[in-house]
Amino acid sequence: LGAKGKIAPLMARERPAPAPIPVPEVSKDVLTLGATTYERRCSVCHGAEVVSGGLMPDLRYAPPSAFERFNEIVLTGLLANRGMPAFKLSEEEAAAIKAYVLTRRALVSKP
């Protein structure tokens, strides 16, 4: 629109690695179920492959308490007052999503 100024480059925000959380040992089929269910139901808000674009929480960096209460959050709407609705999923699907998210978290966690 005729502006002549320069825009400063966008700086990537550095995040400390999240504390490691043990990833449950699950089969490849469970991880596949978790990945496909996550992409279908969660990625719209929380980002593809569990990488948020910044508007919604990046689940790889969620506090350990979020994983301790995962079913309450996902299945019963514990955080509905904060914009996270309950989803009509089976407990198997919720467990598979949790395992998938934890595997993605492990990629950015401290060893």
Side-chain angles (χ1 to χ4, degrees):
L1 299 175
K4 302 210 186 317
K6 292 186 179 184
I7 297 175
L10 183 61
M11 303 300 288
R13 186 175 116 193
E14 292 292 323
R15 294 183 91 161
I21 295 176
V23 178
E25 289 198 30
V26 296
S27 70
K28 184 178 179 181
D29 289 341
V30 169
L31 284 180
T32 299
L33 174 63
T36 54
T37 307
Y38 174 90
E39 294 302 328
R40 187 172 35 99
R41 304 299 295 270
C42 312
S43 66
V44 172
C45 294
H46 292 288
E49 297 182 349
V50 197
V51 179
S52 173
L55 293 177
M56 294 295 190
D58 189 319
L59 298 180
R60 298 171 303 158
Y61 295 88
S65 60
F67 295 100
E68 292 165 7
R69 303 185 85 180
F70 196 81
N71 281 5
E72 291 175 81
I73 294 168
V74 174
L75 299 177
T76 65
L78 179 66
L79 299 179
N81 64 339
R82 293 174 55 191
M84 173 62 197
F87 284 89
K88 291 182 180 176
L89 300 170
S90 69
E91 287 192 16
E92 176 187 23
E93 290 170 314
I97 292 169
K98 179 180 175 180
Y100 172 67
V101 171
L102 286 172
T103 62
R104 300 293 298 160
R105 177 191 177 93
L107 297 174
V108 296
S109 294
K110 295 178 186 175

